[in-house]
Each structure stands twice: as C-alpha cells, then as structure tokens.
Amino acid sequence: MAKYDVDSEKLKRLEDYIDSIEQKEGALIGVLYKAQEIFGYLPKDVQLFIARKLKIPAAKVFGVTTFYSYFTMEPRGKHVINVCMGTACFVKGADKVLEELRKQLNITEGNMSPDGMFTVDSLRCVGACGLAPVVMVDGKVYGRVKVEDVKAILDEYREGGSTQ
Amino acid sequence: MINVTINDIKLKVPEGTTILDAAKMANINIPTLCHLNLHDIKMVNRTASCRVCLVEVEGRRNLAPACATECFEGMVIKTNTKRAIRARRTMVELLLSDHPTDCLVCEKNGNCDLQKIAADLGIRQIRFEGEQSTYEKDSSSGALYRNPDKCIMCRRCETMCNEVQTCSVYSAVDRGFETVVGPAFNLPMLDTQCTFCGQCVSVCPTAALTEVSYVQDVWNALHDPDKYVIVQTAPAIRVALGEEFGLKPGTIVTGKMVAALRRLGFKKVFDTDFAADVTIVEESKEFIDRLNGKGRLPILTSCCPSWVKFIEHQFPELLDIPSTCKSPHMMFGAIAKTYFAEKFNIPADKIVVVSVMPCIAKKYEIQREELKSDGVENVDYVITTREFAKMIREAGIDFTKLPDEDFDNPLGESTGASVIFGTTGGVIEAALRTAYEWVTGETLQDVEFHGVRGFEDGLKEATVKLKDMELKIGVAHGLGNARRLLEDIRDGKRFYHAIEIMACPGGCIDGGGQPYHHGNLEIVKARMNAIYEEDRRKPIRKSHENPAVIKLYQEYLGEYGGHKAHKILHTHYTPRETI
Ligand code: SF4
Ligand code: SF4
Ligand code: SF4
Ligand code: FES
C-alpha cells in the first residue's frame, strides 16, 4: 500500500540488494551506503522504504543518516563544482562565472543540473586569492577563470566529450 | 552479596547494584536528573548523559556516575567530597548554559526536575555563557507540544517510547551541538506514528515535552455569554486531582471536584462515567452479537484513542476486531449535542463541551474527521487534570476547603462499573458484569472479577464461565504489551473472546495528562486502589442498571445497538502507515 516518490527502477535495485542480505540485523549502515550509491542521495522516501523493509523505526534511520556526514539528503550531481565567492574572486567576476555555469547547465532551481551530472555551489574564500577567480571541480582547482572558459571546463567532465 | 562503604557507612548489597541504589539503602541521597527507574513497568533510563550524579570512588581517577556504575567488592565511595560536589554543580551549570532561563513563564514552573536540581544545588549564577540552540516548536497534533529548546538530552522520552510503548517515534538526530531528540525527518508530530499517549510527557524532566494547552480557550468560552458551557470529567480525575493540592495520593475528591467545576462557571457538571455506562451497554451488545457469529472475535475495547491510533499504524490488517464504539467522552459529546440539547431546548451550536481528561491523546481524538458531526466537533476542548488544577488555582479557589457536591442530572448519573474504566482491567470487568447478566439471564452475585485487575502484570489473562461457555479474556496495558498480544492474535498463537487494551501503563490513572508522578509509581497504585474503593461505594455497580442510561434509550436512542445508537455512538477506523 505504501507509495514512494522516487525512481521505481532504482528502488527495485535497492530492494533486490536488501533481499540479498542474509543477516538483516545490523545491516542499516551498509544499506544506506548502497542506497546513496544508487540514488546519489538519501531522500526521505528512500529512508522510509529502508526502515520498513528492515523493520526498524524511521526515526532511527533518520538518526543514523543525520549522524554521519557522509550521507546526504540533498541530491548531488555526479560532479561537484564550487565557485569561490571570497572578496577577491567576487571582484574579479566570480558571480558572472557562477551565472554562466548555471546557464550552461540549465539550472534554474536548486543547485543541481537537470541531468544530474553537476551540482554547482559557492564557497567562501578558499584562500587562493592569487588565482582569483577560482573554480573547483571535484577538488581540482581552476584559476583565473573567465566566462569564456566555462564550456571547456565542463566539457572535461561530460562523458564522451561535449554533448551541447 | 558484596561489601561496600559509602560515606563511611558499611553495607552489603547484591551484585549488580548501582552506586545510586546502594546509597539509597544507606539513606544517602545522590542527586540525579537523566536517570529514571520505573521498575514496575520495567523501564530504566540508563543513558548517563547528565552527569549530575558524579561521586568519588577510591582508587579511581575519574568521578563515577552513580546511576550507571555498579558496585564491586570492597568499593569505597564518597558522595559529598568537595570535588564531587563541585563537579556536580559544574554539570548543572553547563546544562543551564544552553537552556532558556524563562522559568517564571514556563509551563513546568514548580514541576521541573532541572529547576529543582538547580535549586537543590544552590546554583545562583551560570558561569558559562554558551550559544543557545533554538529549534522549531511543534504543536501540529493539537495534543503534544514539543519545545526542543528546553531539551536536556536525557533521552527518557526515547526510552519510554521505544521500550515501553514500542512506538519508536524519537531518535537522537544530527550530531554535536546541533543534536536533538526528535521524530523522523523532523516531521510535525501529527505526521508520525505517535499515538499521543503522552507517556514521554510524563517522564520528560523539563518543559521540552508538554501538552498543547486549551486553558485560555476554555476561559474564553466560559466568559462568552452566548455559550452554554458544560463539562464532563473522566473517572481517573477524581482519584488524582487531590495530589495537585497537597492531598495524599489516592484521596478521592469527587465531591470537591464537582464543586470546583461549578465555581469555575460551568453551566452543568456532568460525568464521563455516564457515557462509560452507555459504552458498556453498546459494547456488550456488540460482544454478544459477535459471540453469536455476527462478526469476528476477539472483540477489542476501543475506549483509548491512543491505542486506536496504535493499531491503525501497527496492525492495519486487524482493524475489524476493535469494537466500533466511540470512546466514552466522544459518546458524551455526541449525546450532549443531540439528546441533551433537544431535551433541554438549548441550540446545539451554543453548547460547548469541555472534557477534563487524564489523557493527551483525547486532545487529538476530538479533531478526527469521522468523530465530527457535519464538520463540528462533538467535544470542543480537552484539558488535562493538570490544566484543570491550574484553572482552579488561577480562580483562587481553595480546593481542600470546598464542600462536596453532586453531579448534575441526567448526564451525571453513573455506576461502579463506569468508575473502574479509569484503570487497567476496568473496562473489560464492567463489560463482563453486563454481558454475564444478559447472556445468562441470571443476577451476578459477585460483581468483582479479580483476575483482570492489577498493575504489575502488563499482560493479564482470565477465564470466565458464562453458562456452558468458557470466556477467555485478555488485558494489556502499555503499548508494548499490546503489541505482543496483537502479534500473537495475528499469528494465531493465542485466542481470546474479548480483550481490553489501554495505552498507558496502569490505564488512565497513569495517563499522560495526570499530575506528574516524578518516577514514583506507588502514586499510581494508590490511584488504582481509590478507583476500586469508589466502585465499592456506588449503590449501583452494573452499567445496564443505570436509570439515566435506561431513560436515554427509552426516550431517544431506541434499541441497544440499534440504528440511532449506531449513528450517534459508533465510529470506524483508518489504516495508517508506519513512520
Ligand atoms: S525531550 Fe525531555 S525527555 Fe526527551 S531527551 Fe529532551 S529533556 Fe529528555
Ligand atoms: S506520545 Fe507516546 S507514542 Fe507519542 S512519542 Fe510520546 S511516548 Fe511515543
Ligand atoms: S490509557 Fe487512558 S489516559 Fe492513556 S492514552 Fe488511553 S485513554 Fe488516554
Ligand atoms: S543521573 Fe546519573 S548521569 Fe544523569
């Protein structure tokens, strides 16, 4: 009777995974890990599904999810882009770079591109002011980024090269 | 047995005894805060999170939390050294540094364990200035009020809800300074599987968990000249209210309670017990029908809204076994706004029904859609025993000096059978008194069924002979016990003809809205004894002999379990999910 507002194909994969576990007791953390791998994050309905499937209280699942910083309840793209918004970067046009990133990735709401490939966030000063404006993709640093560079940077991460 | 020395007193204690319990045996008091031992219902909160019980143990570098440290052979303990006392103070000061200091306007003022310990330890200033954590407050249910700002992370609520009630609504959420005890996904309580039994409220040491109060709404109604405000009181109030005014637990204050309600300005002071008698005749009729093959056995009593919500969430596949009877105070509301309104020629929309209940779940219950008539609530406000006591104090009534007065008629007449509704075992005993006579056609000589009574056993069983039939009766109090019983019924492991379930351990006498017992369950037992005492005092002890009830059916409802009775007095249930 329960309805879960998430991708049913992914949910099926999670269900199969849980069904394959013999020792269900103490399996919660492993299951959450797997679920995050499948969904990219742990929305409420995925946690509820896990709770009911493992027969443990939803409050407990939520407690564990919020305890470990590894788990996230917000969707995250495959690649995480951080734009430094420290004063130096800002003065050198970081806001325009950010705007361009969002435009090219079709992000209108939230931080994730609709195809789930990228999450774009801003950071406070990362301490690399000499390179301003700074953009980081999955931890790799790009310095003195201009609006014109954005496409090339994104292309590096797009699978099979450029698609748009 | 092992030997220990506490503050130079030598004593022998059983192995496994904590320092705290050993100290008690030596009449030494160690302050505690998070610790709570409700032995009778098998709940011990052992989180040892507050550290206000620190003591010195010879040969040990660190101070030991007395509540969670077991004695060992030859242990030498000092509870009142300079170091221990200072450490305890520091722990309380640390708690206070992240706690609002608005005691003067706090609902727990005068009843708060944190406030008491700060006073006991003579804290006069808070040395640490900390960042205060603030969280969203929640009154979504209209029943239970959460104010996490006042939470001291003792986790008593979590222990109560997980272990005794098995509802597992709470968990520690987040980490570090942000940690809070709360429901899944920070949902409003209304959207969780909480049953609003209020047992977490009963054990919360601070005002982090309390009830949503309707005192002001009731005052407003009482002062509104266009309203006709009537009140009903549950059976468990009269044996507990006295405690709020310094009377010994178990004092029966029925007469003074009625007098107080009149002085507060209620037009009529009625008794939920009247409606409990109606419940019994309806439920007995339903029971006998089911015994005769019309419907499924066992029949489960349905007087407790918390238990109803529990079965809806946890056993949706069993929703055909609870009786369809509304709870007594809902029956009362429905009767008041129909029969009473017509009989006394008062427009139903002018009548305001206030229920004084030992219960928090009933605040939630009155909002349930299926219990409204044309969108209007049959009971307008529910206030707890505690809120009622506040109103008495606020009105400047000297409660203990009040004369004894009687309930108004006709909805104030009741029997001994309805009084015992307030305790575990009482509803089923009342039903047996009626069902026995209706089935056998004989007069029941001894109306007391001792097999279903008592506090210590969470699950009780009894067999009652009805003519040539052996009726198997089950009684559960506390939702964890109810869960065990229902699992066995679902799995076909046990069979009963009739079952009574109450959510609160001990029944409504230990409801979430009763005067705080601060961990002393002897108080609850005294209330139980008083309930049975009140039953013995009643001239009529069987519901179907209540003359006012007989008249209600003659004048208005018609047959027991008939069409009109069904429309006004019965309800239905909704399957819900676990969350
Ligand atoms: S809400 Fe009350 S009982 Fe629960 S952890 Fe906080 S202070 Fe303790
Ligand atoms: S009211 Fe009862 S069910 Fe709800 S959280 Fe408190 S103890 Fe649990
Ligand atoms: S046992 Fe009584 S007080 Fe407790 S929730 Fe049920 S009806 Fe309310
Ligand atoms: S009472 Fe012992 S740690 Fe809280």
Side-chain angles (χ1 to χ4, degrees):
Chain A
M1 66 178 175
K3 271 222 166 124
Y4 300 96
D5 191 13
V6 289
D7 183 314
S8 59
E9 186 264 330
K10 288 179 178 167
L11 201 64
K12 179 80 182 69
R13 262 164 66 202
L14 179 60
E15 180 165 29
D16 291 343
Y17 172 76
I18 298 175
D19 287 339
S20 75
I21 306 172
E22 262 168 46
Q23 184 62 26
K24 297 235 175 0
E25 241 165 89
L28 177 59
I29 298 214
V31 171
L32 285 172
Y33 194 89
K34 185 76 187 180
Q36 183 152 310
E37 199 180 286
I38 295 172
F39 289 89
Y41 70 119
L42 297 171
K44 170 176 160 245
D45 277 18
V46 168
Q47 294 182 51
L48 254 184
F49 176 79
I50 292 171
R52 290 173 183 156
K53 192 84 190 153
L54 292 177
K55 295 197 171 54
I56 47 183
K60 181 165 175 209
V61 175
F62 182 63
V64 171
T65 308
T66 54
F67 183 80
Y68 294 101
S69 56
Y70 173 78
F71 296 124
T72 169
M73 284 184 68
E74 295 298 323
R76 310 220 29 97
K78 212 163 159 218
H79 303 287
V80 179
I81 307 176
N82 275 303
V83 182
C84 176
M85 280 291 167
T87 320
C89 289
F90 189 82
V91 170
K92 297 228 164 143
D95 56 331
K96 304 222 171 51
V97 173
L98 179 66
E99 207 176 294
E100 181 65 17
L101 278 163
R102 290 179 67 93
K103 201 173 104 197
Q104 290 211 13
L105 293 171
N106 294 321
I107 304 175
T108 44
E109 243 176 88
N111 295 332
M112 196 178 66
S113 62
D115 61 1
M117 284 291 284
F118 295 94
T119 287
V120 182
D121 246 330
S122 53
L123 282 178
R124 292 215 215 136
C125 184
V126 294
C129 305
L131 295 175
V134 172
V135 169
M136 290 193 302
V137 185
D138 298 341
K140 183 174 170 197
V141 178
Y142 297 81
R144 302 201 181 88
V145 179
K146 291 188 276 315
V147 170
E148 304 85 80
D149 302 334
V150 165
K151 187 169 182 323
I153 295 175
L154 290 177
D155 281 348
E156 272 185 51
Y157 296 88
R158 286 190 166 122
E159 268 154 48
S162 171
T163 49
Q164 28 185 304
Chain B
M1 296 295 256
I2 49 179
N3 298 293
V4 294
T5 312
I6 309 181
N7 298 356
D8 299 329
I9 301 171
K10 291 192 190 324
L11 67 157
K12 283 189 192 307
V13 298
E15 230 164 289
T17 306
T18 61
I19 298 178
L20 181 67
D21 288 334
K24 256 183 220 146
M25 292 174 204
N27 295 321
I28 290 166
N29 197 13
I30 299 172
T32 56
L33 189 54
C34 66
H35 176 77
L36 183 71
N37 185 348
L38 299 178
H39 177 260
D40 286 311
I41 60 168
K42 303 180 186 66
M43 168 187 156
V44 188
N45 192 49
R46 278 186 225 280
T47 48
S49 57
C50 78
R51 307 268 148 175
V52 305
C53 62
L54 293 174
V55 295
E56 259 188 277
V57 174
E58 215 174 80
R60 194 179 144 147
R61 262 208 0 242
N62 299 332
L63 297 170
C67 70
T69 310
E70 286 182 9
C71 297
F72 53 77
E73 174 58 40
M75 196 182 219
V76 179
I77 303 147
K78 288 242 165 30
T79 71
N80 51 9
T81 61
K82 186 174 168 197
R83 184 167 162 234
I85 290 172
R86 273 190 49 184
R88 294 204 288 256
R89 290 181 57 104
T90 304
M91 293 325 293
V92 175
E93 285 177 298
L94 280 171
L95 280 174
L96 293 178
S97 72
D98 184 23
H99 196 91
T101 47
D102 58 354
C103 290
L104 276 180
V105 290
C106 177
E107 50 277 63
K108 279 302 261 298
N109 189 4
N111 238 327
C112 169
D113 295 349
L114 180 63
Q115 194 185 44
K116 179 165 187 303
I117 208 157
D120 285 354
L121 298 191
I123 311 266
R124 284 289 168 271
Q125 77 183 75
I126 299 157
R127 279 182 296 156
F128 312 100
E129 269 200 35
E131 200 185 325
Q132 298 253 332
S133 27
T134 52
Y135 304 88
E136 233 168 281
K137 328 261 181 287
D138 176 28
S139 58
S140 57
S141 61
L144 190 133
Y145 184 65
R146 272 186 75 231
N147 178 359
D149 290 359
K150 303 216 166 168
C151 176
I152 58 167
M153 291 299 296
C154 69
R155 301 174 80 167
R156 284 181 183 182
C157 54
E158 204 184 326
T159 307
M160 174 56 88
C161 192
N162 289 356
E163 290 173 18
V164 180
Q165 300 299 62
T166 64
C167 293
S168 305
V169 173
Y170 299 121
S171 169
V173 171
D174 261 317
R175 63 195 105 86
F177 181 66
E178 295 297 322
T179 317
V180 66
V181 173
F185 317 116
N186 296 318
L187 285 172
M189 292 297 277
L190 184 61
D191 299 338
T192 70
Q193 63 193 15
C194 175
T195 68
F196 309 117
C197 69
Q199 285 302 309
C200 53
V201 173
S202 293
V203 296
C204 178
T206 67
L209 295 171
T210 51
E211 70 265 47
V212 177
S213 175
Y214 294 91
V215 167
Q216 200 48 51
D217 305 78
V218 174
W219 279 130
N220 292 346
L222 284 168
H223 294 145
D224 183 343
D226 287 334
K227 297 286 183 212
Y228 190 92
V229 191
I230 64 175
V231 67
Q232 57 168 326
T233 66
I237 314 296
R238 63 206 71 186
V239 296
L241 179 65
E243 294 162 28
E244 288 275 342
F245 301 96
L247 298 175
K248 216 173 90 214
T251 310
I252 302 172
V253 294
T254 316
K256 293 190 194 316
M257 172 186 80
V258 172
L261 287 166
R262 249 184 221 121
R263 280 156 187 68
L264 291 181
F266 290 102
K267 288 273 191 320
K268 296 276 180 198
V269 181
F270 288 141
D271 198 350
T272 310
D273 290 15
F274 164 82
D277 281 330
V278 178
T279 308
I280 285 302
V281 296
E282 283 298 313
E283 207 164 275
S284 300
K285 173 75 174 61
E286 193 183 349
F287 180 35
I288 292 168
D289 282 350
R290 291 212 209 171
L291 277 178
N292 292 331
K294 278 183 244 151
R296 181 167 162 197
L297 289 171
I299 187 170
L300 266 67
T301 58
S302 53
C303 303
C304 167
S306 165
W307 132 239
V308 164
K309 189 150 185 282
F310 179 81
I311 194 173
E312 288 178 329
H313 282 287
Q314 308 291 338
F315 297 89
E317 68 276 25
L318 293 181
L319 286 183
D320 56 341
I321 57 177
S323 157
T324 56
C325 285
K326 291 181 185 173
S327 70
H329 93 120
M330 289 313 306
M331 284 197 179
F332 178 94
I335 294 167
K337 292 196 175 176
T338 55
Y339 172 68
F340 172 76
E342 287 172 35
K343 194 174 161 89
F344 288 81
N345 224 341
I346 306 161
D349 57 358
K350 285 186 81 174
I351 298 179
V352 174
V353 178
V354 176
S355 297
V356 182
M357 294 285 132
C359 181
I360 287 179
K362 293 197 176 100
K363 291 174 185 266
Y364 155 79
E365 183 188 26
I366 59 171
Q367 309 166 52
R368 290 179 64 125
E369 281 308 319
E370 72 279 10
L371 291 174
K372 295 181 183 168
S373 320
D374 305 321
V376 180
E377 289 171 0
N378 284 325
V379 170
D380 298 87
Y381 303 109
V382 171
I383 58 169
T384 61
T385 319
R386 296 189 294 260
E387 290 172 273
F388 175 29
K390 278 189 190 135
M391 290 183 75
I392 295 175
R393 281 192 286 267
E394 208 182 315
I397 296 169
D398 189 347
F399 184 79
T400 55
K401 304 263 167 57
L402 285 171
D404 286 346
E405 293 181 9
D406 279 331
F407 284 108
D408 288 307
N409 278 326
L411 310 186
E413 252 179 90
S414 71
T415 69
S418 58
V419 170
I420 57 176
F421 259 64
T423 168
T424 167
V427 176
I428 207 78
E429 180 169 342
L432 284 172
R433 292 180 189 178
T434 291
Y436 182 92
E437 297 206 345
W438 281 358
V439 170
T440 63
E442 294 161 11
T443 307
L444 187 61
Q445 295 309 333
D446 181 5
V447 298
E448 300 190 357
F449 293 84
H450 288 273
V452 295
R453 296 186 178 186
F455 183 76
E456 278 82 1
D457 289 330
L459 276 178
K460 294 173 278 189
E461 284 186 352
T463 311
V464 175
K465 254 188 105 66
L466 257 197
K467 269 185 170 165
D468 43 3
M469 204 183 350
E470 298 244 307
L471 278 191
K472 290 204 62 164
I473 308 294
V475 177
H477 54 119
L479 290 172
N481 296 319
R483 183 188 291 278
R484 280 198 281 148
L485 197 69
L486 288 171
E487 277 169 356
D488 284 358
I489 290 168
R490 182 193 59 199
D491 303 342
K493 287 196 195 141
R494 289 191 213 217
F495 175 79
Y496 297 100
H497 293 92
I499 289 169
E500 175 206 282
I501 293 180
M502 294 189 192
C504 297
C508 307
I509 45 173
D510 189 16
Q514 290 282 55
Y516 292 110
H517 55 58
H518 294 283
N520 180 2
L521 293 184
E522 292 307 314
I523 293 176
V524 177
K525 290 184 205 166
R527 293 175 192 161
M528 182 182 283
N529 292 336
I531 287 258
Y532 287 118
E533 170 66 33
E534 181 90 334
D535 168 32
R536 282 191 294 274
R537 285 188 194 173
K538 288 274 187 176
I540 305 175
R541 297 177 70 187
K542 297 167 208 158
S543 297
H544 56 288
E545 292 177 356
N546 181 333
V549 171
I550 295 170
K551 212 162 156 199
L552 166 72
Y553 279 88
Q554 278 168 356
E555 287 182 1
Y556 192 72
L557 290 177
E559 264 178 273
Y560 297 137
H563 179 69
K564 198 158 182 186
H566 251 272
K567 186 160 174 281
I568 295 180
L569 306 176
H570 290 254
T571 183
H572 59 267
Y573 307 108
T574 315
R576 297 171 199 269
E577 285 172 347
T578 53
I579 176 158

